[in-house]
Amino acid sequence: MDVWWAGLNAAHEGLLPLLDPVERGRHEATVRPADRARFLVGCALSRLVLGELLGLPPARVPLRRVCPRCGGPHGKPRLDTPGSAGLYDFSVTHSGEIIGVAVCRGAEVGLDVEEADGPVDVALAARTALAAPELAALNTFPPPDRKAAFLRTWTRKEAVLKALGVGLALPLRDLRLSPPDTRPTVLSWPDGLPSPPPATTITDLVAETPATGPHPAAVAVIGHPGTRLAVRTRHVEETRLLSAPRVHRA
């Protein structure tokens, strides 16, 4: 499995031809420039990576975004080709100046990153996101360390829910994980799931690019057949993947 990181400074107009018409419409409709740039980089990076894997021009990688609950166009993006189910799954995340894409073969994947230095009311957020045992574990940390400990648990939880394809539709408190200073493990699943998911692997990551500092991140994989999962972290700057995109014309 590969996890790619890019900085917000990777956004430029040359990436727009890589998007499909729906994505370009969402890009144009996004008001804030930073949000527009994050969306552009996330879409372009996803299409470039998947296009390389599938042997397709990035703009022709068939994706669909359908919410499993309401049918709206805001669900987790997935490949939409005959036989693509179970082939590759991917997850996009962004926070502040950093954007990430994880791609996994043969299993569901979820990726999350949070700004290490972003403003967080830890006491308030913890009461909303953590179950009582998780909150008790967080309070064992010295006050200066609680923000980092909370963000570690938060990224793990969001990664798992993204791998499930439900995002924050299920309450974070109903997904209980091991303490942040221990090996990440799911201790109990939300009651809203039709059945407990198969084998789940959570890996803590540090998201960083030459243009950004380190940020806490996590990737979760559900249904991977092996007992070990190798996670390869890659940076766009290492390959200049977004610096000179190839524009394919039919």
Side-chain angles (χ1 to χ4, degrees):
M1 181 180 69
D2 284 341
V3 176
W4 291 84
W5 298 113
L8 192 61
N9 60 350
H12 58 86
E13 291 186 356
L15 300 178
L16 286 171
L18 306 184
L19 276 56
D20 67 16
V22 172
E23 292 166 338
R24 285 197 291 272
R26 286 187 59 182
H27 176 266
E28 293 171 2
T30 302
V31 177
R32 296 181 57 198
D35 292 339
R36 196 159 57 243
R38 280 186 281 267
F39 180 77
L40 174 61
V41 173
C43 289
L45 182 56
S46 301
R47 289 183 167 280
L48 282 160
V49 173
L50 290 168
E52 288 291 331
L53 292 171
L54 298 172
L56 292 173
R60 296 179 62 183
V61 173
L63 302 179
R64 63 181 176 90
R65 291 174 172 83
V66 179
C67 175
R69 293 179 175 268
C70 71
H74 52 262
K76 177 181 178 179
R78 297 185 184 276
L79 283 171
D80 189 23
T81 59
S84 64
L87 181 60
Y88 291 106
D89 191 40
F90 71 104
S91 180
V92 184
T93 187
H94 53 73
S95 183
E97 298 287 320
I98 196 160
I99 302 99
V101 173
V103 179
C104 186
R105 181 168 187 152
E108 304 292 316
V109 64
L111 179 67
D112 188 61
V113 64
E114 300 295 333
E115 285 186 279
D117 52 357
V120 178
D121 185 334
V122 174
L124 178 61
R127 289 196 298 270
T128 302
L130 304 185
E134 294 172 325
L135 187 57
L138 178 67
N139 289 333
T140 65
F141 287 80
D145 298 334
R146 286 179 191 168
K147 180 181 177 181
F150 171 74
L151 290 177
R152 178 55 66 200
T153 298
W154 177 277
T155 56
R156 292 174 177 181
K157 286 197 176 195
E158 279 232 44
V160 172
L161 293 178
K162 287 182 177 181
L164 288 172
V166 298
L168 296 179
L170 293 176
L172 282 168
R173 293 183 63 183
D174 293 349
L175 173 67
R176 188 160 68 90
L177 302 183
S178 54
D181 57 348
T182 64
R183 180 175 175 269
T185 306
V186 176
L187 301 181
S188 64
W189 292 97
D191 293 334
L193 298 177
S195 60
T200 301
T201 302
I202 308 170
T203 303
D204 293 328
L205 303 173
V206 175
E208 188 173 12
T209 75
T212 67
H215 300 284
V219 63
V221 174
I222 295 177
H224 188 268
T227 57
R228 295 178 61 86
L229 181 68
V231 179
R232 180 171 58 168
T233 300
R234 311 183 71 178
H235 300 109
V236 165
E237 288 81 358
E238 294 174 355
T239 61
R240 302 187 182 276
L241 187 63
L242 295 178
S243 61
R246 292 172 294 169
V247 179
H248 296 256
R249 295 180 173 84

